[in-house]
Amino acid sequence: MTPSAMPKSRQQLILSVLMVCSLLIWLDNTVLSTTLETLSDPVRGLNASPSELQWATGSYTLAFATLMFTAGALGDRFGHRTVLVAGLVVFAASSVWAAYAGDAGQLIAARAAMGVGSALIMPANLAVLMWTFTGPARSTAIAISSTAAGVGMAVGPVLAGVLLDRFWWGSVFLVNVPVVVLALIGIALLVPNFRSPVARPLDPAGMLLSISGLATLAYGLIRAGQVASWGRTDVWGPIVGGLVLLAVFVLVELRVKVPSFDPRLLAQRAFGGGNVALGLLLFAVSAVTFYNAFYLQGARGYSPMEAGLAGIPTAVGATLGAPVGARLVRQWSLRTVTVPALTVAALTMGAYGLFGLETPLVRIELLLLVQGLAVGMVLGPVTAALISTLPLERAGAGSAVTNTVRQTGSVIGIAVGGTIMSIVYRRSIEPSLDGVPGPVREQALVSAEQARHVADAARRPELVRAADEAFVHAMHVGAVWIMLIGLFGAAVLLIALRSARKPAAAVREADHEQEAGPSTTETVPHAGADARPRREGEGVGSH
């Protein structure tokens, strides 16, 4: 069954199933940010330290970033429906594991397994969509599918707040299971097992080098926060080692005839510079989201539900920003719209340096709305434009590069942002701990959450205020660094798009070619070569 022969009603149902799969990933990303404060609590959570929370967030993103391009090759070899189902099963099983984790170490391992599931889901999800739709309908389907991100961002924090107010923290992971069951039923009934007739190699060397390089680099960055120093051997050693492993990864991929991750694409000024800018933006977004979770629930004392509701303006802004940005780009140019938007996003992150313990909530909400709008106006249009600059047979490789760079930015953003917060917090609270007994002092130095807990147990209310003020100071310092990273990203984007034409023109040309060509030559982004689409068991049934 070719896309043109598939009934429109079935195409729409398949799109609905794919949106459920995307929603699952975005829900998981957002519910965790609302749960971080609870996980750090010694009574209600796992007594997780800041570094353990960084790993709980980063292990997921690390696995996601480094396995996505391998997952695309698996889909070409075994069928994208097969890989999509495998990813959903892994995601559901690891969600149950995370829900019942007995300590922070188990949670980190479970989150890494969830990242493996997400890495299998994301490329297969896009591949099925690209096989199912053709011509202008494909662009429309992609735009509709992207709304799952906005829905997940809006619903996730509120859902997490409801669950945390009524149940234990593990409930935020168990909620994934019924969503997976719904998606599996839809896949079994509707989705053919599309796959490329040309199977790409799996590239185990590249996978091993990318995982070990990023993990080692992240370990060094997070370790710096644990020991409050950048000069120790166990800090700079892993950082240097991780960078060397990543350099070797690039060299290996350059020698592979058909690389899963093609570094050559990054040598193109527009594509490479645009992806670097997106990576820096995701670095800043991940770091500031990490801060915001502890600011609202910890320093400000909001309940999980209140914190979830407070995050809605960001989701609304991001959802509205993508179509607004696309419309403005059609009127002017990608550079004219996205560079100022990225600059505004960076400045809103720097504005966290103006937040205090008594800042009116309405001021915070307005800032989050503007931040969401600005981020949405950059992510959607730039991503679409970067992929559209490549020929269709390179779209799969381009998608792998784009997704990997973005997730890598998130991993490093969480590691660096959390480490800056830990180091500055320790140095800021130390003067307030003079005369405090040793055990209380050591626990208060770990984090503001630990300080609040030990202050209640030791009946030292003044320590709570000191911890809150130290945290806010750390957030202010971190916000400045995050803003500078974002502004650097805007500068990179300005240079990268210096002579880029309007992406709308490229999109119109692509649509014209798709309408003119026969549908039987459509190529999925992960196919790796032009080929006639086929599916396993063609002519036997839909599943």
Side-chain angles (χ1 to χ4, degrees):
M1 180 183 294
T2 63
S4 59
M6 186 180 294
K8 186 175 181 180
S9 59
R10 185 176 177 184
Q11 289 179 322
Q12 293 171 341
L13 289 172
I14 290 175
L15 179 59
S16 299
V17 172
L18 298 179
M19 289 183 67
V20 171
C21 297
S22 297
L23 178 64
L24 182 72
I25 295 175
W26 283 99
L27 275 176
D28 182 72
N29 283 336
T30 52
V31 298
L32 182 66
S33 63
T34 307
T35 314
L36 291 174
E37 177 71 23
T38 302
L39 289 171
S40 67
D41 191 280
V43 177
R44 297 180 298 128
L46 293 176
N47 195 26
S49 67
S51 62
E52 289 171 332
L53 293 175
Q54 285 173 272
W55 276 116
T57 307
S59 63
Y60 171 89
T61 313
L62 177 65
F64 198 177
T66 53
L67 294 178
M68 261 193 301
F69 51 83
T70 300
L74 288 173
D76 290 343
R77 185 178 296 266
F78 300 109
H80 296 292
R81 185 185 69 178
T82 300
V83 173
L84 182 58
V85 168
L88 289 168
V89 171
V90 169
F91 194 90
S94 52
S95 295
V96 175
W97 182 13
Y100 293 101
D103 54 43
Q106 291 183 32
L107 177 63
I108 290 168
R111 288 285 298 165
M114 293 174 72
V116 173
S118 294
L120 295 172
I121 292 170
M122 184 64 80
N125 198 58
L126 176 62
V128 171
L129 186 148
M130 297 293 284
W131 282 99
T132 302
F133 295 91
T134 183
R138 176 183 289 170
S139 300
T140 302
I142 292 175
I144 294 173
S145 178
S146 67
T147 61
V151 174
M153 291 173 63
V155 173
V158 178
L159 177 62
V162 171
L163 294 172
L164 291 172
D165 279 349
R166 289 165 173 77
F167 306 102
W168 97 111
W169 60 266
S171 61
V172 303
F173 297 112
L174 283 184
V175 76
N176 294 330
V177 176
V179 181
V180 167
V181 172
L182 179 64
L184 288 173
I185 293 173
I187 291 170
L189 295 176
L190 297 165
V191 179
N193 199 22
F194 299 118
R195 63 174 175 175
S196 170
V198 180
R200 287 184 289 145
L202 296 181
D203 192 14
M207 181 177 66
L208 181 62
L209 285 168
S210 60
I211 292 175
S212 57
L214 268 180
T216 305
L217 175 61
Y219 172 81
L221 294 171
I222 293 174
R223 181 63 178 163
Q226 290 179 295
V227 300
S229 172
W230 293 97
R232 291 177 41 152
T233 305
D234 57 348
V235 171
W236 63 260
I239 292 175
V240 173
L243 292 174
V244 170
L245 286 170
L246 291 175
V248 174
F249 164 66
V250 171
L251 292 176
V252 168
E253 294 300 287
L254 287 173
R255 292 176 176 271
V256 176
K257 185 176 181 181
V258 185
S260 298
F261 178 94
D262 192 352
R264 299 173 188 85
L265 293 176
L266 294 175
Q268 301 177 21
R269 181 164 57 83
F271 187 84
N275 273 292
V276 169
L278 289 181
L280 293 171
L281 174 59
L282 268 294
F283 175 109
V285 168
S286 298
V288 82
T289 301
F290 192 76
Y291 286 8
N292 196 44
F294 294 102
Y295 172 65
L296 292 178
Q297 293 186 58
R300 297 300 296 265
Y302 292 171
S303 70
M305 171 62 81
E306 291 170 335
L309 292 172
I312 287 181
T314 306
V316 172
T319 304
L320 295 176
V324 168
R327 180 171 297 182
L328 292 176
V329 165
R330 286 195 294 269
Q331 293 180 352
W332 294 312
S333 71
L334 186 67
R335 188 189 191 199
T336 303
V337 174
T338 58
V339 172
L342 183 46
T343 302
V344 170
L347 294 175
T348 61
M349 295 170 190
Y352 276 69
L354 304 176
F355 290 174
L357 297 174
E358 308 295 336
T359 302
L361 181 60
V362 64
R363 189 181 302 173
I364 299 173
E365 298 295 86
L366 287 173
L367 184 77
L368 292 178
L369 176 63
V370 174
Q371 185 179 110
L373 280 167
V375 171
M377 290 175 65
V378 177
L379 281 180
V382 172
T383 301
L386 294 181
I387 297 301
S388 71
T389 62
L390 302 174
L392 189 59
E393 66 271 13
R394 303 302 310 278
S399 177
V401 170
T402 297
N403 284 315
T404 301
V405 170
R406 286 167 60 167
Q407 295 299 325
T408 299
S410 297
V411 172
I412 299 176
I414 293 165
V416 173
T419 294
I420 292 173
M421 183 176 70
S422 295
I423 291 176
V424 178
Y425 166 79
R426 283 191 179 194
R427 294 176 180 175
S428 181
I429 199 174
E430 277 181 343
S432 303
L433 299 178
D434 291 339
V436 174
V440 176
R441 174 186 174 86
E442 291 303 315
Q443 197 166 349
L445 283 172
V446 173
S447 67
E449 288 68 36
Q450 296 287 338
R452 295 185 196 104
H453 177 73
V454 75
D456 290 338
R459 297 182 179 179
R460 287 180 171 268
E462 73 281 358
L463 187 55
V464 174
R465 182 73 182 186
D468 289 342
E469 291 177 348
F471 169 80
V472 169
H473 175 66
M475 183 179 72
H476 289 172
V477 174
V480 173
W481 283 104
I482 293 169
M483 178 185 68
L484 293 176
I485 292 295
L487 291 175
F488 180 58
V492 170
L493 191 62
L494 179 68
I495 296 171
L497 301 180
R498 186 170 57 201
S499 60
R501 63 178 178 175
K502 289 187 179 182
V507 170
R508 284 195 297 270
E509 290 176 10
D511 287 345
H512 176 72
E513 291 173 1
Q514 290 169 354
E515 289 173 336
S519 61
T520 54
T521 60
E522 289 293 336
T523 304
V524 68
H526 298 282
D530 288 323
R532 183 185 69 87
R534 67 183 179 90
R535 62 183 179 91
E536 198 174 27
E538 190 165 42
V540 177
S542 64
H543 62 282

